[in-house]
Amino acid sequence: SGIIHLAKQIVSANGLDDKITLIHGKIEDVDLPVDKVDMIISEWMGHALLHESMLESVIVARDRFLKEGGLMLPDKANIWMVGVEDMNYRRDKMNWWKDVYGFDMSSITPSVQAEPIVDMVPLHSICTKTCQLRSFDLHTATKADLS
């Protein structure tokens, strides 16, 4: 991913080249120039927290490299659910495919309906109470906890 190049620029621009070492690669495959690290910062979350996420890799990184008492950011993760109903929003999202800049792309609608939508939800669309489905402490979570 190209983020490593931006991260290097940020580290350099802030005069931290002598304090921060950036390593590019899959955590399962890399070797670090030190045995243990003080902190792991990760952005691993997918849709609904776990879909397409890299939490297993974060657990590998923690188990391989984090010093006892080290920091993990984020260190907790929760999955919450709430019921939403917005017939107009849904209709607009699905009808959009019938005329995409003059092209009928409605055949894609079933595929689109199967995918999660990441969007802001107006408060008036929420029709149930919130419910916490899962909670993970990233300092202690195991791969088995993810299933």
PDB file of all heavy atoms in Angstrom, residues 52-79:
ATOM      1  N   GLU A  52     -13.647  -8.428   6.361  1.00  0.00           N
ATOM      2  CA  GLU A  52     -12.435  -7.968   5.669  1.00  0.00           C
ATOM      3  C   GLU A  52     -11.443  -7.292   6.612  1.00  0.00           C
ATOM      4  O   GLU A  52     -10.622  -6.494   6.193  1.00  0.00           O
ATOM      5  CB  GLU A  52     -12.783  -6.997   4.533  1.00  0.00           C
ATOM      6  CG  GLU A  52     -13.590  -7.629   3.426  1.00  0.00           C
ATOM      7  CD  GLU A  52     -13.918  -6.662   2.311  1.00  0.00           C
ATOM      8  OE1 GLU A  52     -13.656  -5.453   2.445  1.00  0.00           O
ATOM      9  OE2 GLU A  52     -14.420  -7.139   1.279  1.00  0.00           O
ATOM     10  N   SER A  53     -11.530  -7.610   7.889  1.00  0.00           N
ATOM     11  CA  SER A  53     -10.615  -6.964   8.829  1.00  0.00           C
ATOM     12  C   SER A  53      -9.299  -7.716   8.915  1.00  0.00           C
ATOM     13  O   SER A  53      -9.162  -8.833   8.439  1.00  0.00           O
ATOM     14  CB  SER A  53     -11.241  -6.878  10.218  1.00  0.00           C
ATOM     15  OG  SER A  53     -11.067  -8.094  10.920  1.00  0.00           O
ATOM     16  N   MET A  54      -8.357  -7.096   9.565  1.00  0.00           N
ATOM     17  CA  MET A  54      -7.029  -7.671   9.743  1.00  0.00           C
ATOM     18  C   MET A  54      -6.760  -7.933  11.228  1.00  0.00           C
ATOM     19  O   MET A  54      -5.620  -7.959  11.645  1.00  0.00           O
ATOM     20  CB  MET A  54      -5.981  -6.712   9.164  1.00  0.00           C
ATOM     21  CG  MET A  54      -6.140  -6.448   7.679  1.00  0.00           C
ATOM     22  SD  MET A  54      -5.960  -7.931   6.680  1.00  0.00           S
ATOM     23  CE  MET A  54      -4.282  -8.367   7.032  1.00  0.00           C
ATOM     24  N   LEU A  55      -7.806  -8.155  12.010  1.00  0.00           N
ATOM     25  CA  LEU A  55      -7.626  -8.350  13.446  1.00  0.00           C
ATOM     26  C   LEU A  55      -6.729  -9.546  13.752  1.00  0.00           C
ATOM     27  O   LEU A  55      -5.931  -9.505  14.676  1.00  0.00           O
ATOM     28  CB  LEU A  55      -8.968  -8.476  14.158  1.00  0.00           C
ATOM     29  CG  LEU A  55      -8.918  -8.565  15.683  1.00  0.00           C
ATOM     30  CD1 LEU A  55      -8.070  -7.454  16.285  1.00  0.00           C
ATOM     31  CD2 LEU A  55     -10.316  -8.562  16.268  1.00  0.00           C
ATOM     32  N   GLU A  56      -6.837 -10.609  12.971  1.00  0.00           N
ATOM     33  CA  GLU A  56      -5.946 -11.757  13.190  1.00  0.00           C
ATOM     34  C   GLU A  56      -4.486 -11.338  13.077  1.00  0.00           C
ATOM     35  O   GLU A  56      -3.647 -11.775  13.865  1.00  0.00           O
ATOM     36  CB  GLU A  56      -6.247 -12.895  12.219  1.00  0.00           C
ATOM     37  CG  GLU A  56      -7.432 -13.721  12.614  1.00  0.00           C
ATOM     38  CD  GLU A  56      -7.566 -14.987  11.783  1.00  0.00           C
ATOM     39  OE1 GLU A  56      -6.543 -15.546  11.337  1.00  0.00           O
ATOM     40  OE2 GLU A  56      -8.709 -15.417  11.594  1.00  0.00           O
ATOM     41  N   SER A  57      -4.175 -10.494  12.117  1.00  0.00           N
ATOM     42  CA  SER A  57      -2.799 -10.014  11.953  1.00  0.00           C
ATOM     43  C   SER A  57      -2.371  -9.147  13.130  1.00  0.00           C
ATOM     44  O   SER A  57      -1.212  -9.189  13.550  1.00  0.00           O
ATOM     45  CB  SER A  57      -2.657  -9.229  10.647  1.00  0.00           C
ATOM     46  OG  SER A  57      -2.837 -10.081   9.546  1.00  0.00           O
ATOM     47  N   VAL A  58      -3.298  -8.372  13.683  1.00  0.00           N
ATOM     48  CA  VAL A  58      -2.986  -7.547  14.852  1.00  0.00           C
ATOM     49  C   VAL A  58      -2.667  -8.448  16.047  1.00  0.00           C
ATOM     50  O   VAL A  58      -1.734  -8.181  16.808  1.00  0.00           O
ATOM     51  CB  VAL A  58      -4.138  -6.573  15.173  1.00  0.00           C
ATOM     52  CG1 VAL A  58      -3.895  -5.831  16.472  1.00  0.00           C
ATOM     53  CG2 VAL A  58      -4.335  -5.593  14.023  1.00  0.00           C
ATOM     54  N   ILE A  59      -3.418  -9.525  16.179  1.00  0.00           N
ATOM     55  CA  ILE A  59      -3.155 -10.479  17.263  1.00  0.00           C
ATOM     56  C   ILE A  59      -1.784 -11.111  17.093  1.00  0.00           C
ATOM     57  O   ILE A  59      -1.025 -11.260  18.057  1.00  0.00           O
ATOM     58  CB  ILE A  59      -4.277 -11.533  17.337  1.00  0.00           C
ATOM     59  CG1 ILE A  59      -5.571 -10.862  17.812  1.00  0.00           C
ATOM     60  CG2 ILE A  59      -3.888 -12.697  18.235  1.00  0.00           C
ATOM     61  CD1 ILE A  59      -6.811 -11.742  17.700  1.00  0.00           C
ATOM     62  N   VAL A  60      -1.424 -11.462  15.851  1.00  0.00           N
ATOM     63  CA  VAL A  60      -0.082 -12.010  15.577  1.00  0.00           C
ATOM     64  C   VAL A  60       0.976 -10.984  15.958  1.00  0.00           C
ATOM     65  O   VAL A  60       1.970 -11.316  16.626  1.00  0.00           O
ATOM     66  CB  VAL A  60       0.064 -12.401  14.086  1.00  0.00           C
ATOM     67  CG1 VAL A  60       1.515 -12.687  13.723  1.00  0.00           C
ATOM     68  CG2 VAL A  60      -0.812 -13.610  13.766  1.00  0.00           C
ATOM     69  N   ALA A  61       0.782  -9.732  15.558  1.00  0.00           N
ATOM     70  CA  ALA A  61       1.750  -8.671  15.882  1.00  0.00           C
ATOM     71  C   ALA A  61       1.895  -8.520  17.388  1.00  0.00           C
ATOM     72  O   ALA A  61       3.011  -8.429  17.912  1.00  0.00           O
ATOM     73  CB  ALA A  61       1.323  -7.348  15.244  1.00  0.00           C
ATOM     74  N   ARG A  62       0.780  -8.499  18.084  1.00  0.00           N
ATOM     75  CA  ARG A  62       0.816  -8.357  19.542  1.00  0.00           C
ATOM     76  C   ARG A  62       1.588  -9.512  20.180  1.00  0.00           C
ATOM     77  O   ARG A  62       2.464  -9.308  21.011  1.00  0.00           O
ATOM     78  CB  ARG A  62      -0.616  -8.322  20.089  1.00  0.00           C
ATOM     79  CG  ARG A  62      -0.690  -8.212  21.605  1.00  0.00           C
ATOM     80  CD  ARG A  62      -2.007  -8.709  22.157  1.00  0.00           C
ATOM     81  NE  ARG A  62      -2.172 -10.126  21.917  1.00  0.00           N
ATOM     82  CZ  ARG A  62      -3.354 -10.738  21.811  1.00  0.00           C
ATOM     83  NH1 ARG A  62      -4.473 -10.044  21.911  1.00  0.00           N
ATOM     84  NH2 ARG A  62      -3.431 -12.032  21.607  1.00  0.00           N
ATOM     85  N   ASP A  63       1.263 -10.738  19.773  1.00  0.00           N
ATOM     86  CA  ASP A  63       1.892 -11.908  20.376  1.00  0.00           C
ATOM     87  C   ASP A  63       3.379 -12.010  20.054  1.00  0.00           C
ATOM     88  O   ASP A  63       4.169 -12.458  20.887  1.00  0.00           O
ATOM     89  CB  ASP A  63       1.171 -13.181  19.943  1.00  0.00           C
ATOM     90  CG  ASP A  63      -0.251 -13.269  20.492  1.00  0.00           C
ATOM     91  OD1 ASP A  63      -0.601 -12.480  21.396  1.00  0.00           O
ATOM     92  OD2 ASP A  63      -1.011 -14.132  20.009  1.00  0.00           O
ATOM     93  N   ARG A  64       3.752 -11.562  18.861  1.00  0.00           N
ATOM     94  CA  ARG A  64       5.164 -11.646  18.458  1.00  0.00           C
ATOM     95  C   ARG A  64       6.011 -10.504  18.986  1.00  0.00           C
ATOM     96  O   ARG A  64       7.178 -10.700  19.340  1.00  0.00           O
ATOM     97  CB  ARG A  64       5.288 -11.649  16.922  1.00  0.00           C
ATOM     98  CG  ARG A  64       4.912 -12.953  16.277  1.00  0.00           C
ATOM     99  CD  ARG A  64       5.148 -12.919  14.773  1.00  0.00           C
ATOM    100  NE  ARG A  64       6.574 -12.812  14.449  1.00  0.00           N
ATOM    101  CZ  ARG A  64       7.035 -12.474  13.252  1.00  0.00           C
ATOM    102  NH1 ARG A  64       6.196 -12.200  12.272  1.00  0.00           N
ATOM    103  NH2 ARG A  64       8.321 -12.407  13.034  1.00  0.00           N
ATOM    104  N   PHE A  65       5.446  -9.294  19.021  1.00  0.00           N
ATOM    105  CA  PHE A  65       6.302  -8.128  19.167  1.00  0.00           C
ATOM    106  C   PHE A  65       6.013  -7.188  20.338  1.00  0.00           C
ATOM    107  O   PHE A  65       6.870  -6.385  20.688  1.00  0.00           O
ATOM    108  CB  PHE A  65       6.268  -7.297  17.882  1.00  0.00           C
ATOM    109  CG  PHE A  65       6.725  -8.041  16.668  1.00  0.00           C
ATOM    110  CD1 PHE A  65       5.880  -8.219  15.583  1.00  0.00           C
ATOM    111  CD2 PHE A  65       8.008  -8.564  16.599  1.00  0.00           C
ATOM    112  CE1 PHE A  65       6.310  -8.897  14.451  1.00  0.00           C
ATOM    113  CE2 PHE A  65       8.445  -9.244  15.474  1.00  0.00           C
ATOM    114  CZ  PHE A  65       7.594  -9.406  14.401  1.00  0.00           C
ATOM    115  N   LEU A  66       4.832  -7.220  20.927  1.00  0.00           N
ATOM    116  CA  LEU A  66       4.503  -6.217  21.938  1.00  0.00           C
ATOM    117  C   LEU A  66       5.128  -6.569  23.295  1.00  0.00           C
ATOM    118  O   LEU A  66       4.972  -7.678  23.795  1.00  0.00           O
ATOM    119  CB  LEU A  66       2.987  -6.081  22.091  1.00  0.00           C
ATOM    120  CG  LEU A  66       2.507  -4.925  22.967  1.00  0.00           C
ATOM    121  CD1 LEU A  66       2.926  -3.576  22.377  1.00  0.00           C
ATOM    122  CD2 LEU A  66       0.988  -4.987  23.143  1.00  0.00           C
ATOM    123  N   LYS A  67       5.816  -5.580  23.875  1.00  0.00           N
ATOM    124  CA  LYS A  67       6.377  -5.744  25.222  1.00  0.00           C
ATOM    125  C   LYS A  67       5.240  -5.946  26.216  1.00  0.00           C
ATOM    126  O   LYS A  67       4.144  -5.421  26.032  1.00  0.00           O
ATOM    127  CB  LYS A  67       7.157  -4.487  25.645  1.00  0.00           C
ATOM    128  CG  LYS A  67       8.440  -4.275  24.948  1.00  0.00           C
ATOM    129  CD  LYS A  67       9.117  -3.004  25.466  1.00  0.00           C
ATOM    130  CE  LYS A  67      10.417  -2.760  24.721  1.00  0.00           C
ATOM    131  NZ  LYS A  67      11.034  -1.491  25.113  1.00  0.00           N
ATOM    132  N   GLU A  68       5.519  -6.656  27.296  1.00  0.00           N
ATOM    133  CA  GLU A  68       4.536  -6.792  28.356  1.00  0.00           C
ATOM    134  C   GLU A  68       4.203  -5.395  28.884  1.00  0.00           C
ATOM    135  O   GLU A  68       5.089  -4.597  29.156  1.00  0.00           O
ATOM    136  CB  GLU A  68       5.067  -7.663  29.489  1.00  0.00           C
ATOM    137  CG  GLU A  68       3.999  -7.981  30.504  1.00  0.00           C
ATOM    138  CD  GLU A  68       4.375  -9.120  31.428  1.00  0.00           C
ATOM    139  OE1 GLU A  68       5.125 -10.020  31.000  1.00  0.00           O
ATOM    140  OE2 GLU A  68       3.912  -9.082  32.575  1.00  0.00           O
ATOM    141  N   GLY A  69       2.911  -5.107  28.980  1.00  0.00           N
ATOM    142  CA  GLY A  69       2.473  -3.785  29.419  1.00  0.00           C
ATOM    143  C   GLY A  69       2.475  -2.744  28.311  1.00  0.00           C
ATOM    144  O   GLY A  69       2.177  -1.584  28.560  1.00  0.00           O
ATOM    145  N   GLY A  70       2.794  -3.172  27.072  1.00  0.00           N
ATOM    146  CA  GLY A  70       2.828  -2.239  25.947  1.00  0.00           C
ATOM    147  C   GLY A  70       1.437  -1.752  25.565  1.00  0.00           C
ATOM    148  O   GLY A  70       0.422  -2.318  25.964  1.00  0.00           O
ATOM    149  N   LEU A  71       1.404  -0.690  24.785  1.00  0.00           N
ATOM    150  CA  LEU A  71       0.146  -0.073  24.371  1.00  0.00           C
ATOM    151  C   LEU A  71      -0.315  -0.603  23.021  1.00  0.00           C
ATOM    152  O   LEU A  71       0.503  -0.846  22.135  1.00  0.00           O
ATOM    153  CB  LEU A  71       0.308   1.441  24.257  1.00  0.00           C
ATOM    154  CG  LEU A  71       0.623   2.196  25.541  1.00  0.00           C
ATOM    155  CD1 LEU A  71       0.861   3.668  25.218  1.00  0.00           C
ATOM    156  CD2 LEU A  71      -0.513   2.044  26.539  1.00  0.00           C
ATOM    157  N   MET A  72      -1.609  -0.754  22.895  1.00  0.00           N
ATOM    158  CA  MET A  72      -2.231  -1.079  21.610  1.00  0.00           C
ATOM    159  C   MET A  72      -3.273  -0.014  21.337  1.00  0.00           C
ATOM    160  O   MET A  72      -4.104   0.295  22.195  1.00  0.00           O
ATOM    161  CB  MET A  72      -2.888  -2.454  21.656  1.00  0.00           C
ATOM    162  CG  MET A  72      -1.893  -3.570  21.819  1.00  0.00           C
ATOM    163  SD  MET A  72      -2.626  -5.182  21.525  1.00  0.00           S
ATOM    164  CE  MET A  72      -3.072  -5.070  19.802  1.00  0.00           C
ATOM    165  N   LEU A  73      -3.207   0.563  20.148  1.00  0.00           N
ATOM    166  CA  LEU A  73      -4.177   1.581  19.757  1.00  0.00           C
ATOM    167  C   LEU A  73      -4.806   1.185  18.431  1.00  0.00           C
ATOM    168  O   LEU A  73      -4.077   1.049  17.455  1.00  0.00           O
ATOM    169  CB  LEU A  73      -3.499   2.946  19.638  1.00  0.00           C
ATOM    170  CG  LEU A  73      -2.856   3.455  20.927  1.00  0.00           C
ATOM    171  CD1 LEU A  73      -2.075   4.717  20.655  1.00  0.00           C
ATOM    172  CD2 LEU A  73      -3.887   3.683  22.003  1.00  0.00           C
ATOM    173  N   PRO A  74      -6.109   0.959  18.368  1.00  0.00           N
ATOM    174  CA  PRO A  74      -7.031   0.953  19.494  1.00  0.00           C
ATOM    175  C   PRO A  74      -6.808  -0.278  20.379  1.00  0.00           C
ATOM    176  O   PRO A  74      -6.206  -1.259  19.947  1.00  0.00           O
ATOM    177  CB  PRO A  74      -8.405   0.895  18.825  1.00  0.00           C
ATOM    178  CG  PRO A  74      -8.157   0.221  17.520  1.00  0.00           C
ATOM    179  CD  PRO A  74      -6.781   0.639  17.102  1.00  0.00           C
ATOM    180  N   ASP A  75      -7.309  -0.224  21.610  1.00  0.00           N
ATOM    181  CA  ASP A  75      -7.134  -1.349  22.520  1.00  0.00           C
ATOM    182  C   ASP A  75      -8.434  -2.090  22.807  1.00  0.00           C
ATOM    183  O   ASP A  75      -8.427  -3.152  23.401  1.00  0.00           O
ATOM    184  CB  ASP A  75      -6.486  -0.899  23.832  1.00  0.00           C
ATOM    185  CG  ASP A  75      -7.346   0.075  24.617  1.00  0.00           C
ATOM    186  OD1 ASP A  75      -8.301   0.642  24.040  1.00  0.00           O
ATOM    187  OD2 ASP A  75      -7.056   0.277  25.802  1.00  0.00           O
ATOM    188  N   LYS A  76      -9.558  -1.528  22.356  1.00  0.00           N
ATOM    189  CA  LYS A  76     -10.851  -2.181  22.524  1.00  0.00           C
ATOM    190  C   LYS A  76     -11.648  -2.012  21.234  1.00  0.00           C
ATOM    191  O   LYS A  76     -11.471  -1.052  20.502  1.00  0.00           O
ATOM    192  CB  LYS A  76     -11.616  -1.563  23.685  1.00  0.00           C
ATOM    193  CG  LYS A  76     -10.938  -1.811  25.021  1.00  0.00           C
ATOM    194  CD  LYS A  76     -11.800  -1.402  26.169  1.00  0.00           C
ATOM    195  CE  LYS A  76     -11.187  -1.643  27.527  1.00  0.00           C
ATOM    196  NZ  LYS A  76      -9.825  -1.977  27.634  1.00  0.00           N
ATOM    197  N   ALA A  77     -12.525  -2.965  20.988  1.00  0.00           N
ATOM    198  CA  ALA A  77     -13.380  -2.888  19.808  1.00  0.00           C
ATOM    199  C   ALA A  77     -14.741  -3.475  20.163  1.00  0.00           C
ATOM    200  O   ALA A  77     -14.818  -4.493  20.853  1.00  0.00           O
ATOM    201  CB  ALA A  77     -12.752  -3.653  18.644  1.00  0.00           C
ATOM    202  N   ASN A  78     -15.793  -2.833  19.701  1.00  0.00           N
ATOM    203  CA  ASN A  78     -17.151  -3.280  19.992  1.00  0.00           C
ATOM    204  C   ASN A  78     -17.973  -3.338  18.718  1.00  0.00           C
ATOM    205  O   ASN A  78     -17.790  -2.522  17.812  1.00  0.00           O
ATOM    206  CB  ASN A  78     -17.837  -2.303  20.961  1.00  0.00           C
ATOM    207  CG  ASN A  78     -17.097  -2.190  22.264  1.00  0.00           C
ATOM    208  OD1 ASN A  78     -16.923  -3.174  22.961  1.00  0.00           O
ATOM    209  ND2 ASN A  78     -16.646  -0.992  22.583  1.00  0.00           N
ATOM    210  N   ILE A  79     -18.873  -4.295  18.675  1.00  0.00           N
ATOM    211  CA  ILE A  79     -19.841  -4.389  17.575  1.00  0.00           C
ATOM    212  C   ILE A  79     -21.209  -4.067  18.160  1.00  0.00           C
ATOM    213  O   ILE A  79     -21.668  -4.725  19.097  1.00  0.00           O
ATOM    214  CB  ILE A  79     -19.865  -5.794  16.944  1.00  0.00           C
ATOM    215  CG1 ILE A  79     -18.500  -6.163  16.389  1.00  0.00           C
ATOM    216  CG2 ILE A  79     -20.936  -5.849  15.845  1.00  0.00           C
ATOM    217  CD1 ILE A  79     -18.413  -7.583  15.864  1.00  0.00           C
TER     218      ILE A  79
END
